[in-house]
Structure formats: C-alpha cells, structure tokens
Amino acid sequence: MSSELAQKMREIREVETSGRAEFAQLIGFNKKTVESIEQAGRAPKGEMLQAICKQWPKYTLWLMTDQVDEVCGQVSPDIERARRTLKQTGTGTN
C-alpha cells in the first residue's frame, strides 16, 4: 500500500507540475520530503495526502480508493493526461 500511494503521488506530480520543487511548493512541503517519499516508496503521511487532495480535489477518489467517477469530476492522472492530449489535438469535447 505504501509504495502504491507514493507512486500515485508521483503520477499526480508528473501530470500537474513541472517537477518536485513546484509540487512541493503547491502542497506546502519541502522538496526533499517529496523526493524521499517517491524514491523510498514510503506512504505519505495524512497531512501530505490532505494537502494533495486540497490542491487537486479531482484526484481524491482515485488517490484514496483507486476508483474514478468522471460524472462527479473525480478522475485519475491517466484520464487527465488523455483529456489534455485530446484538447491539444482538437479532438476533445470539453
């Protein structure tokens, strides 16, 4: 479970920010903390998970349960990445 949460945190970071420094700043944590969690694959603490969900609420359901509900605006980084690609190519609907 811990490495899964670290991986999910990384996926959100890769889709939403330009790197660890920006991600850390947006959630109010030190870059080294983010780096150590990702590299060691250890679970982020509750405060960090809460900060991630507050910054990007659209990932809350996926981050915590591995489920999505697009109708309610709850998506995964893969869905968000696909939406952005479709939008760039002019084939997206939203």
Side-chain angles (χ1 to χ4, degrees):
M1 177 73 164
S2 62
S3 62
E4 181 182 345
L5 282 173
Q7 178 60 35
K8 285 180 169 186
M9 184 178 88
R10 181 183 190 139
E11 289 179 48
I12 293 169
R13 174 183 61 77
E14 289 175 348
V15 169
E16 294 295 336
T17 67
S18 62
R20 286 184 181 126
E22 181 185 8
F23 182 82
Q25 178 195 15
L26 288 170
I27 63 170
F29 283 80
N30 185 294
K31 178 187 168 196
K32 290 282 187 190
T33 303
V34 171
E35 188 175 281
S36 69
I37 288 170
E38 288 184 1
Q39 290 178 348
R42 60 184 176 87
K45 292 185 179 183
E47 295 85 15
M48 183 175 282
L49 292 171
Q50 186 176 18
I52 293 167
C53 292
K54 186 175 181 180
Q55 181 65 36
W56 298 285
K58 64 185 173 186
Y59 299 123
T60 302
L61 183 63
W62 172 80
L63 181 64
M64 303 309 292
T65 68
D66 211 27
Q67 298 177 358
V68 297
D69 186 344
E70 290 184 78
V71 173
C72 294
Q74 291 293 300
V75 298
S76 69
D78 286 340
I79 291 170
E80 185 62 28
R81 193 176 292 113
R83 283 182 180 170
R84 290 179 186 180
T85 300
L86 289 172
K87 192 173 187 177
Q88 287 174 350
T89 62
T91 56
T93 57
N94 303 45

